Amino acid sequence: MRTDSSPGTLPAREHLPAGDAGTPVLDVVIPVYNEEKDLGPCVIRLQDHLKRTFPYAFRITVADNASTDTTPQVARRLEAELAEVTSFRLEQKGRGRALRTVWSASDAPVLAYMDVDLSTDLNALLPLVAPLISGHSDLAIGSRLARSSRVVRGAKREFISRSYNLILRGSLQARFSDAQCGFKAIRRDVARVLLPMVEDTGWFFDTEMLVIAERAGLRIHEVPVDWVDDPDSTVHLVKTATDDLRGVWRVGKALATGSLPLDRIARPFGDDPRDRDIQDVPTGLARQLVGFCVVGALSTLFYLVLYSLFREFSGSQIANALALLVSAVANTAANRRLTFGVRGRGGAVRHQAQGLVVFGIGLALTSGSLAALNAASSDPAHSTELAVLVAANLAATVLRFLLFRAWVFPDRDGSREASSTVPAARNPSSPTYTAVPGGHQSQGPLPQRPAHPPCAQGAGMTTRLRAGEAADGTWRDATTQVQPVRPHDTDPGGPR
């Protein structure tokens, strides 16, 4: 997928190399708001599970969303007692805001999150992150709606969950099965360019991230999970559902207008290195042929309907010219978006002008065919006219595809300059990111869990997170001061 203003694409996925570096491979974030009761047992259980089953170094990060109870104190105590645990304090609520802030500051190559209630069976954690470590997939989600999943929850939540996912399939053409399961993971290199495109800071964050990733062609791995509903959940279903529907409308509108630069996160053809050695095979030709044929078939039907309508009050030549003109404009717009993946308004006028030239060639073919028919018969039947026009349009279609591919929408990806967006690298001395010359992100080999884990950070340390600098500077979250909660901290909104 590309546009005329494409800043570049993600590199091919690769298996994270194994090694002995001290950087954790996995960073599991637990966003919490007023969870003083469940936080301790959750973190202890998760840490014990990872130490027993996860073969690489890991980190557990507690992201406190402006809690007003003793949750921050519990998080700092866990940080002091458990070497693999760290905590961040955010002064604003929002699960999406917490994930984006912490993920942007993390140096782990694989980032995950789960809900504090641990409703999902932890045995699914390794299958969730394994495809990301191996380079097979870009994102991974737990699915409660897969056939092999085993789920225990009430009829109300079951109905809401399935209805929401049906809405996503019908409105946004989502193909993933479960957008709301609090059990997801993403590669850091993907998060660096994907998260700046996600606007929501609340519960719709997951859905928006998945929809954008899927539309950009990223690979989403689904893991069937065993899931038991938490009867004490504080999520406000009505408010959450309303916010989600607003998000669906906003994202759907952005996709329809082409305002999302999906080409920023597109993968190149052939992640397998062997695919890069293939010569003389045009990239994406098969997909473009299929898309062009579909658009062409619909355009032909549209053209024939228009011709029949115009023929009621005009001659065959005028009806043909008008029908071909209207259908040509629609055909160029559809092929621009669907067949050749050009999005946005840049170059649209030029493409339509070139399309009109192609239209002129098609007009010459079809008009010449009609002229030949009228010369052979003074009063041809309407069905005969349609048959001749279909044959002429088939010939014009082949020529149109060749002109579209070689002239109107040529693939200039190979000649484009490198992206001006400079990826970021982790600065070991600070959670903020610093640019690396050459545009490559520093990343050490895949580390094993150290025999003697380093000491945890002091509970009184203050950390600054600069959200958004990991990508292109488009994130607008202010710098977040991470510090212990004050007894008078309050939040006017209800718990989510």
Side-chain angles (χ1 to χ4, degrees):
M1 189 173 295
R2 60 184 177 83
T3 68
D4 289 345
S5 58
S6 171
T9 59
L10 285 171
R13 288 182 296 265
E14 294 182 357
H15 195 301
L16 296 175
D20 299 320
T23 302
V25 174
L26 174 65
D27 192 348
V28 183
V29 180
I30 304 176
V32 291
Y33 174 75
N34 290 349
E35 298 287 355
E36 58 184 1
K37 177 182 177 182
D38 296 332
L39 179 58
C42 163
V43 171
I44 293 174
R45 179 183 166 194
L46 176 60
Q47 188 243 17
D48 177 70
H49 176 84
L50 287 172
K51 290 186 71 173
R52 289 186 295 104
T53 63
F54 193 68
Y56 306 111
F58 64 88
R59 179 191 301 127
I60 301 173
T61 302
V62 179
D64 174 32
N65 294 288
S67 294
T68 58
D69 61 1
T70 61
T71 296
Q73 288 88 334
V74 175
R76 291 199 303 273
R77 176 175 57 80
L78 292 169
E79 182 179 25
E81 296 176 355
L82 304 176
E84 296 88 357
V85 177
T86 186
S87 64
F88 289 144
R89 163 73 176 181
L90 290 90
E91 298 299 337
Q92 292 177 292
K93 287 178 56 179
R95 183 180 66 170
R97 178 181 289 107
L99 291 177
R100 190 171 67 179
T101 301
V102 176
W103 279 354
S104 71
S106 179
D107 56 354
V110 176
L111 311 168
Y113 95 89
M114 62 179 60
D115 293 335
V116 69
D117 55 19
L118 293 186
S119 295
T120 304
D121 183 11
L122 292 179
N123 287 329
L125 183 55
L126 183 56
L128 182 81
V129 302
L132 308 186
I133 294 175
S134 70
H136 174 272
S137 301
D138 299 296
L139 299 92
I141 65 174
S143 175
R144 299 163 296 183
L145 303 181
R147 290 189 175 183
S148 56
S149 299
R150 292 183 292 182
V151 177
V152 178
R153 62 176 166 182
K156 180 180 179 181
R157 286 182 175 269
E158 181 76 9
F159 174 78
I160 292 176
S161 178
R162 291 188 178 274
S163 299
Y164 179 65
N165 283 281
L166 286 175
I167 291 173
L168 293 181
R169 289 177 176 270
S171 59
L172 301 179
Q173 288 79 51
R175 289 176 291 177
F176 48 86
S177 63
D178 192 351
Q180 294 177 311
C181 182
F183 195 69
K184 296 181 175 69
I186 185 173
R187 287 176 63 103
R188 184 183 60 178
D189 57 344
V190 177
R192 188 182 66 244
V193 292
L194 174 60
L195 297 187
M197 301 170 64
V198 181
E199 295 184 14
D200 191 80
T201 59
W203 291 89
F204 187 69
F205 173 88
D206 305 53
T207 301
E208 186 171 358
M209 178 181 69
L210 292 174
V211 169
I212 295 175
E214 186 177 72
R215 286 298 187 95
L218 299 184
R219 182 175 293 163
I220 301 175
H221 179 73
E222 295 198 18
V223 178
V225 297
D226 298 338
W227 194 87
V228 179
D229 190 17
D230 177 15
D232 298 325
S233 175
T234 59
V235 177
H236 290 174
L237 295 180
V238 176
K239 185 178 186 303
T240 300
T242 302
D243 292 342
D244 287 348
L245 291 177
R246 291 197 188 102
V248 169
W249 171 260
R250 175 176 54 79
V251 173
K253 182 180 179 181
L255 292 172
T257 58
S259 61
L260 286 172
L262 299 179
D263 51 296
R264 289 186 181 182
I265 51 177
R267 288 288 187 187
F269 171 76
D271 284 347
D272 190 324
R274 294 171 296 179
D275 296 339
R276 304 166 208 166
D277 298 330
I278 298 176
Q279 302 295 328
D280 302 324
V281 178
T283 301
L285 177 60
R287 182 190 62 79
Q288 290 178 355
L289 279 172
V290 173
F292 185 82
C293 289
V294 172
V295 172
L298 296 176
S299 298
T300 300
L301 292 176
F302 184 49
Y303 161 80
L304 293 175
V305 171
L306 290 176
Y307 177 80
S308 298
L309 293 175
F310 293 146
R311 192 66 174 85
E312 295 295 327
F313 56 85
S314 63
S316 61
Q317 291 288 2
I318 296 178
N320 173 65
L322 291 176
L324 195 58
L325 175 61
V326 176
S327 60
V329 172
N331 181 277
T332 300
N335 276 306
R336 181 179 188 269
R337 172 74 180 275
L338 303 177
T339 302
F340 298 97
V342 180
R343 299 177 182 272
R345 299 179 180 179
V349 175
R350 175 174 58 84
H351 292 153
Q352 282 294 347
Q354 291 173 312
L356 289 178
V357 175
V358 178
F359 151 74
I361 298 175
L363 177 61
L365 286 175
T366 54
S367 297
S369 301
L370 282 176
L373 176 62
N374 291 328
S377 175
S378 59
D379 188 20
H382 183 64
S383 59
T384 304
E385 286 184 350
L386 292 180
V388 170
L389 289 174
V390 168
N393 268 284
L394 288 176
T397 297
V398 176
L399 182 59
R400 186 183 301 119
F401 176 76
L402 296 176
L403 289 175
F404 273 177
R405 182 173 173 82
W407 180 47
V408 183
F409 307 109
D411 187 359
R412 300 189 180 92
D413 287 346
S415 61
R416 287 196 185 98
E417 295 181 355
S419 169
S420 60
T421 300
V422 180
R426 178 77 172 180
N427 184 346
S429 64
S430 171
T432 59
Y433 285 84
T434 56
V436 174
H440 296 289
Q441 183 170 355
S442 62
Q443 177 174 307
L446 191 66
Q448 305 289 343
R449 184 182 300 110
H452 300 285
C455 296
Q457 295 179 345
M461 292 184 65
T462 297
T463 306
R464 294 183 68 83
L465 299 179
R466 202 168 289 277
E469 294 182 351
D472 56 2
T474 58
W475 294 8
R476 301 186 179 181
D477 283 33
T479 301
T480 305
Q481 184 76 25
V482 183
Q483 54 187 232
V485 67
R486 297 181 297 275
H488 59 273
D489 280 347
T490 59
D491 190 282
R496 293 291 300 275

